[in-house]
Amino acid sequence: MAVFSSLAEAVAANIRDGDTVAFEGFTHLIPFAAVHETIRQKRRDLHLVRMTPDLIYDQLIGMGCVRKLTFSWGGNPGVGSLHRFRDAVENDWPRPLEVDEHSHAALANAYEAGAAGLPCAILRGYRGTQHGSVNPNIKSVTCPFTGEVLAAVPSIRADCAVIHAQKADRKGNVFLEGIVGVQKEAVLGAKRAIVTVEEVVDDLGDVSPNACILPSWTVSAVVEVPGGAHPSYAHGYYKRDNAYYKAWEDIGREREVFLKWMEEHVMRQGPDAFKRHAMKAA
Amino acid sequence: MAVFSSLAEAVAANIRDGDTVAFEGFTHLIPFAAVHETIRQKRRDLHLVRMTPDLIYDQLIGMGCVRKLTFSWGGNPGVGSLHRFRDAVENDWPRPLEVDEHSHAALANAYEAGAAGLPCAILRGYRGTQHGSVNPNIKSVTCPFTGEVLAAVPSIRADCAVIHAQKADRKGNVFLEGIVGVQKEAVLGAKRAIVTVEEVVDDLGDVSPNACILPSWTVSAVVEVPGGAHPSYAHGYYKRDNAYYKAWEDIGREREVFLKWMEEHVMRQGPDAFKRHAMKAA
Amino acid sequence: MADFSPTEMMTVAAARVLRNEDVCFVGIGMPSAACNLARLSHAPDITLIYESGTIATKPDVLPLSIGDGELCETALATVSVPEMFRYWLQGGRINRGFLGAAQLDRFANINTTVIGPYGKPKVRLPGSGGAPEIATSCGEIFIVMAQSKRSFVDKLDFVTSLGHGKGGDDRQKQGVTTKGPTLVVTDLCIMQPDPVTKELTVTGLHPGVTPEQVAAATGWALKFAPELTETPPPSDAELAVLRALHQRTNEAHQPKAAE
Amino acid sequence: MADFSPTEMMTVAAARVLRNEDVCFVGIGMPSAACNLARLSHAPDITLIYESGTIATKPDVLPLSIGDGELCETALATVSVPEMFRYWLQGGRINRGFLGAAQLDRFANINTTVIGPYGKPKVRLPGSGGAPEIATSCGEIFIVMAQSKRSFVDKLDFVTSLGHGKGGDDRQKQGVTTKGPTLVVTDLCIMQPDPVTKELTVTGLHPGVTPEQVAAATGWALKFAPELTETPPPSDAELAVLRALHQRTNEAHQPKAAE
């Protein structure tokens, strides 16, 4: 049953050094505030999972929180590189980064299989590529009916999943809509889950019977953090801050600039810093 | 791209003797009108697939349309037996019925795998049961990472899927909501698809971005048949006619009574007979 | 205390084992009545899940089918059937499953497939539905069904769903990690598996029922615990809630006057 | 006819190959510009699908990311990412895929993973994203990318996504039944795989481009068809639509005055 708490409490209670953690959100609803709190709490040796590492993982990697990364596309979308991620892979700075690299299709299936309680996912994937030669987490199974050989990857069952959503009701039932990505799968496949939300409401209101809802008993902690997805966005609330993403190209490129920026914008801030980005569409 | 046509044309164009056909709808949105048209057109040797055969398959089996049945629960929900189904299995009347029997979990996974273009589905299923000893379509695969043995079943890729939905727009995009069952999977796994709808509208309106929608190009034919799911129901339109289901116990029990009823209520009728059941909730 | 029928006693006794914090996979018929009675009495926040995809549903009348409109209209959310069986059931999110059966054996294995040989059955039953995976994926299983020599049999004609297999640790040997049936509630008594052998053992009798009656309604030499409890009879409040539920249900399922 | 840049020529030439009835899986950047130009000009009903789950989207400005709000707000429907890759891409529902690349070889195999050795890369690129399965699951693939010796290479540092493998029927030998890359559009020319060897062959030049220029921008001994077509230059209408699209996009991605 979801507990309502502060962001600091939620991170302290649910993310531990060495954990496998999936901060998810496919472009939309990326849990920036929760990531910043994790950095402030100086978690170490994390095994991070995420289809599209995005700026949040650049920040976690650059601040030395990460031991291993499972991912399928590590860039600043539409802008360029994640320079902190590259610096870790290319130069072991600030520490070596172990890489478990997949395709989107494989990771999406791996999340799906995790939610479904399976040990692995099967897909028609990776054919004619080199991925299997560099990643022991890509194997195969043979269909017992047709003989077709399919790719197999381990399912993702994180210690903790962290997502941002539009709203929760006072019982802790969570509602999200728009580009829902792999968030439901990440939460249902994980042992624990933190959900930050734009707002807590009395009632989820007149939503579709088939809306994407995570019942309270699938979530460990719910935290109200208005604007908590900025510079990503929250459908129905505020837009993606594309200018921030473009600016990251220069912030992330040099170690010194990055560290200074993080000190100022993350280490010396709290979740309330996100409030000014919160806005509800009319 | 979906073609708008009469129900007779849609059935004639898309369901052929010997086809594998999945008329789907999990209690809700069962395509009764389309089944009645199929019976009127005297299709033969069909291989029917459906999780819960329900009265529609009792009717198709009793009228001699069916060669083989893939299913997971064949009863009149909350009432009792499907007597025509039982008569076919127990007494070969009106013809022998080949049975490919599964659990709900296996068939739900098989539909899912069909939509996903896979040859088979894997699940943690059938453990400690006798199903595998009577059905060669239940095999196993071993997870290459954990060594766990999982059940495998062939995916369902019907020649034609037939479903009923709430509405379509004038381009043929289909919307359904409520208990959506395996309808999306049945359609996306099939070569062809017929969708009957309560109404055709200019615009699907203010539906959730994550609504269950089948784009026009996934559907072969769209037919407006108001009330076409009766005695099943259409969420937002009319309720389930539970009295009809209870009455079926006596209609379906005896061959003569059944045949007389079908002659009167199906063979001598057309899709317009369903209109009187159509009703839109305020 | 009001008069009550054996079926009412069974439903009430089954409802009592459910708790407010349970997440329960509900079969249609007797399990559905028991689960909704629990929800309308001592467990108002219990999460009821039907295989039609309806999560945390709160129907005002009992559904006739597993997917009546009432279930969806009163649910927190409704998911597709593949999602229900994959993410929710197989995903291990459901801690209680409530099942019935056509035949049950001494190790609480279930048959709902055929009476007679599979290839040429005397009676073709509906089949497995969700039961085989409910029986292995839910944290534990409660079974509720009327008791008779026809239904409590020495040997199943077909094993549709696993209970405790051949007893002892056979269930674990089949690769299943959940508890399986921990309780059987009938119209006569309460049975629980022996902690070691897993053979069903009568541990309680409903008011006015004798051990002889129970034995006579069972197709094998049924074991009884040395000390038998007597099930407390349905309270006036329990009966009132259950009867009102059935009353509403019957009215709702009548043919409409307009038709 | 207005002046135009090589990039504009490339975008326009890529857009022209799309048809109104296509269902197209769109990568971000150049593919997205080409696909939306097609939609805003000659193919108004084309179905554009982005891997973020947005189906039949009609953005007014180009998304910076694969999942900008604009894509969802203007889509017919938005599905989860697992559903997108399972039901829509792997399910065989998408007939065209539009990809870019960091490196391309003569058989249109794609590298977007690393420059240098995988274990100790000189440049760590973003990785595969959706491309490996887009390349094999879509009916056919169009590639659009600027041409240079750095990007059109003799040997890929890593095979991220399959084109025609080692040429000939190698693709089928890998168990892949779709057509793969049938067209490469660069800022200099049009290439198509040889029908038999599958080696990329220049079949058309953009206005004012010489075969020597194309050869000089390619890391292998590039083949040319005996007859080369000249790509018709962008029409005024095409340029107007494309420039207006970029203009709207640039304005939309600027920092807000209020911030």
Side-chain angles (χ1 to χ4, degrees), chain B residues 112 115-118 157 171 173 184-185 187-190 204 209-211 213 215 217-218, chain D residues 21 23 45 47 49 55-56 58 72 76-79 83 86-88 90-94:
Chain B
E112 211 273 356
L118 291 171
R157 307 208 72 172
K171 291 183 175 172
N173 299 304
K184 186 175 197 170
E185 289 76 13
V187 167
L188 293 180
L204 293 178
N210 307 120
I213 285 177
W217 41 275
T218 63
Chain D
E21 58 272 28
V23 177
D45 291 328
T47 299
I49 294 185
I55 296 175
K58 298 170 181 289
C72 176
L76 173 64
T78 298
V79 301
E83 181 179 324
R86 291 169 61 81
Y87 291 3
W88 300 88
Q90 185 175 266
R93 292 277 166 188
I94 303 178

Side-chain angles (χ1 to χ4, degrees), chain D residues 170-227:
Chain D
D170 190 42
R171 191 174 162 90
Q172 291 95 300
K173 282 192 191 141
Q174 311 264 6
V176 180
T177 56
T178 51
K179 285 186 195 164
T182 56
L183 185 76
V184 176
V185 179
T186 79
D187 48 351
L188 301 177
C189 69
I190 307 279
M191 303 179 200
Q192 293 175 279
D194 178 89
V196 176
T197 68
K198 301 296 181 187
E199 181 169 339
L200 288 178
T201 306
V202 177
T203 57
L205 297 173
H206 296 333
V209 176
T210 65
E212 292 69 29
Q213 279 179 281
V214 177
T218 307
W220 69 86
L222 183 60
K223 298 216 163 118
F224 290 79
E227 302 280 321

Side-chain angles (χ1 to χ4, degrees), chain A residues 112 115-116 118 157 173 184-185 187-188 190 209-210 213 215 217-218, chain C residues 23 45 47 49 55 72 76-79 83 86-88 90-91 93:
Chain A
E112 211 272 358
L118 290 171
R157 308 207 72 173
N173 299 303
K184 187 176 196 170
E185 288 77 13
V187 168
L188 293 181
N210 307 120
I213 285 177
W217 42 274
T218 64
Chain C
V23 177
D45 292 327
T47 299
I49 294 184
I55 296 175
C72 175
L76 173 63
T78 299
V79 301
E83 181 180 324
R86 291 170 62 81
Y87 292 4
W88 301 87
Q90 186 175 265
R93 291 277 166 186

Side-chain angles (χ1 to χ4, degrees), chain D residues 32-139:
Chain D
S32 180
C35 290
N36 280 289
L37 174 58
R39 184 178 61 78
L40 294 167
S41 46
H42 64 280
D45 291 328
I46 189 170
T47 299
L48 301 185
I49 294 185
Y50 289 71
E51 66 195 15
S52 54
T54 50
I55 296 175
T57 181
K58 298 170 181 289
D60 189 50
V61 304
L62 293 177
L64 182 66
S65 80
I66 201 80
D68 279 20
E70 179 89 0
L71 293 175
C72 176
E73 284 159 18
T74 62
L76 173 64
T78 298
V79 301
S80 76
V81 167
E83 181 179 324
M84 175 51 63
F85 281 96
R86 291 169 61 81
Y87 291 3
W88 300 88
L89 182 61
Q90 185 175 266
R93 292 277 166 188
I94 303 178
N95 71 339
R96 303 274 182 274
F98 232 120
L99 293 173
Q103 287 184 333
L104 197 77
D105 72 13
R106 75 186 69 205
F107 295 115
N109 300 298
I110 287 173
N111 174 21
T112 56
T113 301
V114 284
I115 306 294
Y118 184 82
K120 191 68 193 167
K122 194 173 143 217
V123 181
R124 173 65 239 199
L125 300 168
S128 49
E133 286 77 21
I134 294 172
T136 54
S137 291
C138 290

